[in-house]
Amino acid sequence: MARDSRDSMYQDLTVDIIPREPKKLPKQAREDPSLNAERSHQFYEHRKPRQRYMEKDGKCNVHHGNVKETYRYFSDLFTTLVDLKWPFSLFIFTLAYTVTWLFFGVIWWLIAYIRGDLEHVGDKNWVPCVENLNGFVSAFLFSIETETTIGYGFRVITEKCPEGIILLLIQAILGSIVNALMVGCMFVKISQPKKRAETLMFSNNAVISLRDGKMCLMFRVGDLRSSHIVEASIRAKLIKSKQTKEGEFIPLNQTDINVGFDTGDDRLFLVSPLIISHDINEKSPFWELSRSQLESENFEIVVILEGMVEATGMTCQARCSYVDTEVLWGHRFTPVLTLEKGFYEVDYTTFHNTYETPTPTCSAKELEEVQREEHLVHPLYILHRSKGSQNGAPSSEDGNVGPMSD
């Protein structure tokens, strides 16, 4: 009975895949890389697409509806203006200046109208509030010159107009505030490192295969620019529905996926593309996940890469996600780094390519149980074989221990 149970577990550990040659790609992958990528998705074609929590470009598919406390957006007006899209930002930028110019232009015109300056245009004996102001258009131009400190010298305020002097001070102060707010918003919006994240690449798929005898979940990241991301770090989250022991249903529960936090492997030196690995152990949420279970699972892996832009020193964040249909079981990533004369070259044409590799179809938990049983059986087999040879008994050639099979 023990022998039958071991044989059934070993059946899950075998796959009908030809091992690749050391340091070389499989023949089919070398001849036609697209064929390998096409074959990688044949196993998942029958699976239905699901709603993503986050798009591949990092955009979250979460919309905030029925927000009644909209006043909170105006309490942080600066951030609200920065978060607006460019067409709205440019519209508000133009509108803010135009409204202030028109507002103070109307006041300058009213002062001239109330004082009677418009009725004494051309009268050299009359001292107006603003010289050469003869209508609303000239008042609007004088408002622009005052707020932008252009000062052409044709229209100028006189010292016989105290109300004009007070208005001049008010417009100068308010104009400085408007300039600081609008220019500050435009500067922050232009210098935002969101575009820098577009040159950070994530592989199209994540893979599960053996690495150093352990089942690992892996994905690849790369940076297209020669200016590096300083203090780069990466983390991953598992988004999956969960029901607690008390019966509470959590639709989008977030669970940390350890990608090297304990060992420091989450701190990246992102000069060339790197393969980020997650060891599937007892603390991993994929500990009991097998290949057959992967077909029926419904989850999403969110990956977040953070760091400072070397050129500006601002923090940059790039995001990507992998749904269950984008996790390839029994695959590895194609190498992209080659050694040339005096430098290393990265070939990004094969950045997303994977190839199949011999991988057990059982879960990591079952694999560890089998490996633990192998360590227990193998010494007993050697001891039994040595005793049989000493007693003159024939040794077993089929690798099975006679007394252990009962």
Side-chain angles (χ1 to χ4, degrees):
M1 295 296 292
R3 180 181 177 182
D4 295 339
S5 61
R6 288 196 301 269
D7 291 342
S8 61
M9 295 185 71
Y10 276 109
Q11 289 178 0
D12 290 339
L13 298 177
T14 58
V15 289
D16 297 331
I17 301 175
I18 301 176
R20 70 185 185 100
E21 301 177 2
K23 298 183 179 180
K24 292 183 180 180
L25 297 179
K27 182 178 179 181
Q28 292 182 348
R30 294 197 304 268
E31 293 177 353
D32 189 3
S34 61
L35 179 61
N36 184 37
E38 180 180 357
R39 185 177 60 176
S40 302
H41 296 278
Q42 289 179 354
F43 182 75
Y44 302 92
E45 285 181 351
H46 66 282
R47 304 175 67 177
K48 296 181 180 180
R50 58 180 293 266
Q51 177 61 44
R52 305 183 71 102
Y53 181 71
M54 179 180 293
E55 297 292 341
K56 299 292 288 185
D57 58 357
K59 181 181 179 181
C60 297
N61 287 326
V62 178
H63 299 274
H64 301 280
N66 298 327
V67 179
K68 297 181 180 180
E69 299 178 351
T70 55
Y71 65 89
R72 295 180 180 270
Y73 294 105
F74 296 97
S75 62
D76 188 10
L77 183 60
F78 185 83
T79 304
T80 302
L81 294 176
V82 172
D83 289 340
L84 291 176
K85 295 182 179 180
W86 271 109
F88 294 103
S89 297
L90 295 176
F91 174 75
I92 292 177
F93 183 85
T94 305
L95 185 65
Y97 282 106
T98 304
V99 169
T100 54
W101 293 339
L102 286 173
F103 174 74
F104 285 103
V106 170
I107 296 179
W108 286 114
W109 178 81
L110 287 176
I111 292 175
Y113 178 79
I114 294 173
R115 284 174 52 89
D117 295 342
L118 301 179
E119 299 176 357
H120 297 82
V121 175
D123 188 357
K124 296 182 180 180
N125 297 324
W126 180 263
V127 180
C129 182
V130 179
E131 294 183 355
N132 301 313
L133 193 151
N134 51 18
F136 176 75
V137 176
S138 59
F140 176 68
L141 294 177
F142 179 73
S143 176
I144 296 176
E145 295 177 15
T146 302
E147 190 165 335
T148 58
T149 65
I150 294 176
Y152 290 113
F154 182 70
R155 280 172 288 270
V156 59
I157 190 172
T158 61
E159 59 184 11
K160 301 296 184 179
C161 183
E163 62 273 19
I165 297 175
I166 296 175
L167 181 61
L168 179 64
L169 295 175
I170 296 174
Q171 185 173 4
I173 295 173
L174 293 181
S176 299
I177 295 175
V178 172
N179 287 333
L181 181 62
M182 292 294 103
V183 175
C185 289
M186 290 295 106
F187 176 78
V188 172
K189 195 171 183 64
I190 291 173
S191 60
Q192 276 185 325
K194 291 183 179 180
K195 297 298 181 181
R196 179 64 176 90
E198 295 183 0
T199 54
L200 296 174
M201 294 182 59
F202 294 88
S203 57
N204 291 333
N205 298 97
V207 299
I208 295 179
S209 61
L210 289 175
R211 173 176 277 193
D212 294 331
K214 298 180 180 180
M215 297 289 287
C216 295
L217 171 71
M218 295 171 285
F219 55 91
R220 182 148 59 186
V221 297
D223 189 2
L224 299 179
R225 290 189 179 274
S226 57
S227 59
H228 309 310
I229 297 294
V230 183
E231 295 292 334
S233 62
I234 194 165
R235 50 195 174 97
K237 293 279 188 179
L238 175 65
I239 310 297
K240 184 180 179 181
S241 300
K242 176 184 176 181
Q243 188 169 6
T244 63
K245 297 179 180 179
E246 295 77 15
E248 179 186 4
F249 179 74
I250 305 176
L252 295 174
N253 183 61
Q254 298 185 10
T255 305
D256 282 332
I257 300 177
N258 191 350
V259 290
F261 177 79
D262 300 334
T263 60
D265 292 338
D266 61 331
R267 314 294 293 184
L268 308 180
F269 183 49
L270 199 58
V271 178
S272 60
L274 300 176
I275 296 178
I276 309 301
S277 177
H278 162 66
D279 293 338
I280 303 179
N281 50 29
E282 296 87 349
K283 299 180 180 179
S284 173
F286 305 105
W287 175 238
E288 299 180 356
L289 181 68
S290 64
R291 181 169 183 174
S292 59
Q293 292 174 342
L294 179 62
E295 303 177 29
S296 58
E297 284 291 329
N298 189 1
F299 63 86
E300 184 173 353
I301 301 172
V302 175
V303 181
I304 304 171
L305 175 62
E306 293 179 329
M308 291 189 300
V309 181
E310 188 179 27
T312 61
M314 300 186 68
T315 303
C316 173
Q317 184 181 96
R319 298 182 295 266
C320 186
S321 74
Y322 302 98
V323 295
D324 49 280
T325 57
E326 295 171 343
V327 179
L328 307 181
W329 190 286
H331 283 249
R332 289 179 185 168
F333 287 105
T334 304
V336 296
L337 191 64
T338 57
L339 177 61
E340 303 295 336
K341 294 182 179 180
F343 61 93
Y344 293 93
E345 183 177 1
V346 179
D347 184 10
Y348 281 98
T349 57
T350 59
F351 180 85
H352 302 285
N353 291 357
T354 63
Y355 62 91
E356 293 184 85
T357 182
T359 304
T361 59
C362 63
S363 64
K365 180 180 180 180
E366 296 173 344
L367 177 63
E368 183 172 333
E369 292 176 355
V370 172
Q371 291 176 345
R372 187 184 300 111
E373 186 177 354
E374 284 182 347
H375 288 303
L376 294 176
V377 172
H378 186 64
L380 294 176
Y381 166 70
I382 296 177
L383 179 61
H384 172 75
R385 186 174 182 179
S386 62
K387 287 182 179 180
S389 300
Q390 291 176 2
N391 297 331
S395 59
S396 177
E397 299 295 338
D398 57 356
N400 294 327
V401 183
M404 296 293 295
S405 301
D406 297 333

